[in-house]
Amino acid sequence: MNKNCIKVEKLSKNFINNKVVVNVLNNLNLNLETGKIIALVGPSGSGKSTLLHLLALLDKPTNGKITILGEPTQNITENKRNQLIRNHISIIFQNNNLLLDFTAVENVAMPLIIRNKNYNSSIKEAESYLRKVNLGHRLNHFPSDLSGGEQQRVAIARSLINNPDLILADEMTGNLDEYTAKEIFDFFLNFIKSSNKSLIFVTHNKNFSRQAEENYIISNKMLKK
């Protein structure tokens, strides 16, 4: 595995709002080694989610370079970009984005199914991951039948099932009560550490950010330790 999971060089991002150029991120540099855990903090509106979307290749930077597992991404084809996302990157949002018409096990199996893996084996693997997050008794329940904490556990299992190298988490416990948020975050972090995954997570919770190996702050469009 490449020593550097992700490398960001002189990254900037602008948006156009009513024909006015708005600079959100400016000249960011970041190096994430394989197996390292980084917390991304900063005030609301500082660009944390924008940065995660860029790292997840869901958006393109205005300037600068993003290299993932040794693969430069600025000029890659759409097909290659989709392959990088499918095979190496998972992102967990604050809103879990579960498919409401599918059961918990079907939601978790979906990343495998869309990769044309056998349906039955995908379901069995999804069942295994749901048991890992203590939801073995909720396999066939729909999202509307699950609590907020249970829904986020499903989202976590779904993000891990394709064995990604890089996991990006955007305030994934932000909609949960304090006790449930701590329980889910602790489980998630222990799983990441035990599997040697690379993680960048956005949080406003100081107790969570202290558990990262490094903290980066986005402020005034810049990224600093």
Side-chain angles (χ1 to χ4, degrees), residues 111-140:
L112 301 181
I113 294 171
I114 63 177
R115 289 167 175 79
N116 295 318
K117 293 193 175 183
N118 177 269
Y119 178 83
N120 290 332
S121 63
S122 296
I123 291 295
K124 286 184 179 179
E125 192 165 351
E127 290 174 353
S128 174
Y129 270 83
L130 282 170
R131 291 189 178 97
K132 290 178 182 178
V133 296
N134 298 322
L135 285 179
H137 60 300
R138 304 289 256 168
L139 300 177
N140 296 309

Side-chain angles (χ1 to χ4, degrees), residues 4 31 39 42 91 114 136 138 164 171 188 203 206 215:
N4 292 322
N31 186 35
I91 183 166
I114 63 177
R138 304 289 256 168
E171 284 283 3
F188 176 68
T203 186
K206 293 182 179 179
N215 274 218

